[in-house]
Amino acid sequence: MKKLTALFVAAMLGMAAFAEVTYKTVPLAQKIALSESGKTTFLIKGQAVSYPAGNAQMRRNALFAQEFFGLVPQEAAKKKTTPVSLTLGLESENPDAYRITVDKKGVQIQGASESGVFYGLQTLRKSVAGETADTIRLPWAVVEAEPRFQYRGTMLDCARHFFPVEFVKKYIDILALHGVNKFHWHLTDDQGWRVEVKALPELAKRGSRRPHTIIGKNIGLHDPANAIYDDTPEEGYYTQAELREVVAYAAERYITVIPEIDLPGHMVAALSVYPELGCTGGPYFVRPYWGVDPDVLCAGNPKTLEFIKTVLGEICDVFPSKFIHIGGDESPRTRWQACQKCQAKMRELGLKKEAELQTYINKEVESFLSGRGRELIGWDETLEGGLSENATVMSWRGFKGGIEAARLHHRVIMTPTSHCYIDYYQLKNHDHQPLAIGGYLPLSKCYSLEPVPDELKPEEQQFILGAQCNLWTEFVSSPDHAMYMLLPRLAAIAEVQWLRPEEKNFEQFTGRLAELQTLYRRLGYKYCTTFE
Ligand code: ACM
Ligand code: ZN
């Protein structure tokens, strides 16, 4: 009878059919208590959504409610209720926690802070993913969730290929949809320098351009001179105004942008503009091919630190993030071994091995960043010559670096290639796949990531701040391709970031994923439609 009534109401309201809302989204909320009454409340386009008066972030959240559900924002007023309300004051130590209550009073989304309300809105949005009707039937329920990790990251490499601001914003939208709160932006590399530095105008102007790019995986029998290149210049950089625009856009979605200036390796684009900063003096050219380059910043040249501080000073001006990523990965030491300036520096500092030169740079950088109220984060190679005092380590060559750093009581982000490198193939059979860097990282493997290793003691485990997936773009040159690599693997990583191991279940996850994919389609996101 109840069902018949509902169908009758549906017919009256001009709806074809009701999709059953279960609130089982990705990432899954820890508590979904459906009312035994079986009653429902209608979410109707044009209804009012209230938010606490004078709170700009909550007003912005209400505007998201307008975007997602067609609601009309209004400030909350005493003695006046609205069908949908966004409120603060949820008691939880986790600022990202939220509770959605659907009952006779309507729909209330309450957060422990503004970010919690935002995640509640996203969950409601995903709960009604397939529903395009003006009126949506919501079963009475209480839904509660909070993320397991405070650091929930995703990286995009915009150095190997340049992605326009418009797409970067779309990428951020996708991260927000999945409850990610850190956007790690890889901005500089051997193949392109993509940030404006006002004190060094030539850096982005010339360092952001390469005349052509190697085609596919022909490596000229390991000799780039014999490789085959396309005829298409790759160029582009972000002005500081654009960078600020992206930072603000992300902040509205509770995402911190962590910029990465990769040093002292992965610096050939910069060396092409300032060859005096390299050990050999060059000449250098912006690399049109991939791989680890032997040419790095000269650690013995005082101008190198000057350069780094000039760049990072402006980076700190533009990016409010506490963490500033300084890369540190894949920086060969062969040039340092053969460089008189570097060797003299080692003697001056009493260093025994070249790896310690990198630590010397990192310590200088850390102290500079600390003066700006910032902290250094780097890839796990930063462990090799000894970590600087406050460094946070991004463990990518497996879990080993992260374990070592946590044992030293340094903070850690887990992003091992085995589970987090979404530039790898996601299906075993490559026949119908766009070119990838190699490897094999199926959805199930992403999902199986456990960022907190068993071998750490409980007090060491606390140093694992979270996990992140990385999209390197050597072989990804278009927004559609980038989305295809990202989705749906980000959905799996999102459950790793939000759920405890005992709350995860791959089978059930794939069921919930189907509904999320409906939303992907509605939003025009490209994704891999099958999974392994
Ligand atoms: C890295 O993948 N080189 C951090
Ligand atoms: Zn040198």
Side-chain angles (χ1 to χ4, degrees):
M1 183 63 200
K2 226 174 260 159
K3 226 173 198 150
L4 276 177
T5 312
L7 282 170
F8 177 70
V9 173
M12 294 286 288
L13 293 166
M15 287 176 286
F18 286 123
E20 198 63 46
V21 171
T22 65
Y23 305 104
K24 289 182 181 167
T25 58
V26 176
L28 183 66
Q30 279 90 2
K31 175 178 162 187
I32 301 174
L34 289 169
S35 162
E36 285 177 7
S37 71
K39 289 186 175 168
T40 56
T41 287
F42 290 94
L43 187 66
I44 305 170
K45 247 177 219 163
Q47 275 178 334
V49 54
S50 64
Y51 60 92
N55 184 322
Q57 284 180 296
M58 289 296 276
R59 180 181 143 69
R60 187 66 189 93
N61 278 336
L63 289 169
F64 284 119
Q66 182 170 51
E67 180 189 327
F68 302 159
F69 312 112
L71 301 175
V72 179
Q74 62 176 242
E75 286 197 346
K78 276 200 190 103
K79 293 191 189 153
K80 202 161 161 249
T81 56
T82 46
V84 182
S85 62
L86 309 182
T87 61
L88 295 170
L90 180 67
E91 274 188 36
S92 169
E93 282 172 15
N94 191 328
D96 295 333
Y98 65 86
R99 176 191 293 145
I100 304 170
T101 310
V102 182
D103 59 17
K104 64 174 180 295
K105 287 183 285 192
V107 181
Q108 187 195 8
I109 300 179
Q110 188 179 31
S113 76
E114 289 82 354
S115 60
V117 173
F118 179 73
Y119 296 126
L121 279 166
Q122 291 285 4
T123 291
L124 192 59
R125 177 194 195 195
K126 287 178 274 192
S127 295
V128 300
E131 193 54 84
T132 53
D134 285 358
T135 300
I136 298 166
R137 195 179 64 138
L138 297 177
W140 287 7
V142 176
V143 177
E144 290 177 354
E146 59 173 46
R148 177 184 179 193
F149 291 108
Q150 58 173 275
Y151 185 110
R152 307 182 297 278
T154 299
M155 188 277 274
L156 179 65
D157 167 14
C158 289
R160 271 50 179 272
H161 282 98
F162 176 74
F163 292 86
V165 166
E166 190 194 352
F167 177 67
V168 175
K169 287 182 177 174
K170 192 170 183 176
Y171 196 85
I172 286 168
D173 285 340
I174 296 174
L175 305 196
L177 179 69
H178 292 82
V180 167
N181 68 348
K182 303 281 187 276
F183 171 48
H184 169 178
W185 202 359
H186 185 79
L187 287 163
T188 64
D189 218 299
D190 300 321
Q191 295 80 11
W193 183 280
R194 311 260 175 239
V195 279
E196 177 189 28
V197 178
K198 288 189 190 291
L200 304 166
E202 290 302 303
L203 182 54
K205 217 175 271 171
R206 286 166 39 207
S208 65
R209 188 175 195 282
R210 57 176 192 262
H212 50 234
T213 299
I214 195 163
I215 294 173
K217 295 208 173 148
N218 85 92
I219 46 170
L221 289 177
H222 302 286
D223 176 6
N226 288 321
I228 299 166
Y229 296 89
D230 64 20
D231 299 317
T232 314
E234 177 73 19
E235 56 193 328
Y237 66 88
Y238 308 102
T239 65
Q240 291 194 358
E242 287 171 327
L243 296 168
R244 287 179 206 275
E245 190 184 319
V246 170
V247 166
Y249 188 87
E252 286 185 339
R253 289 151 184 80
Y254 302 92
I255 292 176
T256 304
V257 183
I258 300 174
E260 181 186 355
I261 303 296
D262 204 344
L263 64 94
H266 291 280
M267 264 287 170
V268 180
L271 291 180
S272 74
V273 185
Y274 303 108
E276 66 274 21
L277 300 181
C279 291
T280 66
Y284 306 100
F285 54 92
V286 181
R287 298 296 194 236
Y289 49 82
W290 322 119
V292 177
D293 208 281
D295 285 310
V296 304
L297 289 173
C298 175
N301 183 346
K303 279 190 178 165
T304 292
L305 278 175
E306 245 175 73
F307 167 82
I308 292 172
K309 290 176 188 177
T310 301
V311 170
L312 291 183
E314 293 197 23
I315 289 292
C316 288
D317 291 343
V318 171
F319 295 93
S321 166
K322 184 104 179 153
F323 280 137
I324 302 291
H325 205 304
I326 62 144
D329 58 319
E330 300 175 326
S331 188
R333 291 155 192 147
T334 44
R335 295 286 189 258
W336 290 356
Q337 282 160 2
C339 171
Q340 285 184 0
K341 286 194 206 112
C342 286
Q343 292 301 313
K345 193 67 180 179
M346 284 180 68
R347 285 193 295 278
E348 177 196 324
L349 299 172
L351 307 181
K352 294 191 179 53
K353 46 182 192 175
E354 280 73 17
E356 294 170 63
L357 268 182
Q358 189 166 339
T359 301
Y360 149 71
I361 294 175
N362 289 350
K363 284 182 175 167
E364 291 282 328
V365 170
E366 179 167 281
S367 136
F368 175 80
L369 289 176
S370 162
R372 296 299 207 94
R374 311 307 177 89
E375 290 172 14
L376 173 159
I377 184 165
W379 298 109
D380 58 50
E381 286 90 336
T382 48
L383 278 154
E384 287 169 9
L387 282 177
S388 56
E389 199 178 328
N390 254 320
T392 297
V393 171
M394 216 168 237
S395 190
W396 72 281
R397 296 177 298 177
F399 295 85
K400 208 168 63 25
I403 291 168
E404 188 183 335
R407 285 187 173 142
L408 294 167
H409 291 191
H410 280 257
R411 289 160 299 171
V412 171
I413 314 300
M414 282 296 186
T415 180
T417 52
S418 54
H419 297 73
C420 298
Y421 268 47
I422 55 172
D423 55 337
Y424 290 6
Y425 284 104
Q426 52 199 316
L427 301 178
K428 220 175 248 158
N429 183 343
H430 304 169
D431 287 353
H432 304 288
Q433 294 291 294
L435 189 66
I437 199 161
Y440 174 52
L441 177 53
L443 186 70
S444 54
K445 182 84 188 218
C446 293
Y447 196 82
S448 72
L449 171 65
E450 172 43 44
V452 182
D454 277 345
E455 58 253 66
L456 288 178
K457 297 186 192 126
E459 64 268 27
E460 295 162 344
Q461 291 182 343
Q462 291 167 23
F463 288 92
I464 312 293
L465 300 186
Q468 169 170 305
C469 57
N470 299 325
L471 182 49
W472 299 103
T473 60
E474 286 95 332
F475 299 96
V476 178
S477 59
S478 77
D480 276 2
H481 190 175
M483 285 188 279
Y484 182 87
M485 301 308 277
L486 182 67
L487 300 175
R489 288 184 287 191
L490 176 61
I493 294 295
E495 292 232 331
V496 172
Q497 294 171 334
W498 276 73
L499 302 185
R500 293 176 190 289
E502 63 276 16
E503 295 162 344
K504 286 165 58 192
N505 179 311
F506 185 67
E507 285 289 318
Q508 289 172 11
F509 161 73
T510 56
R512 285 179 275 117
L513 185 60
E515 188 162 18
L516 183 59
Q517 290 177 335
T518 305
L519 188 55
Y520 290 169
R521 289 192 293 278
R522 278 180 53 195
L523 294 168
Y525 298 162
K526 285 277 186 285
Y527 63 97
C528 184
T529 53
T530 53
F531 60 81
E532 292 167 356

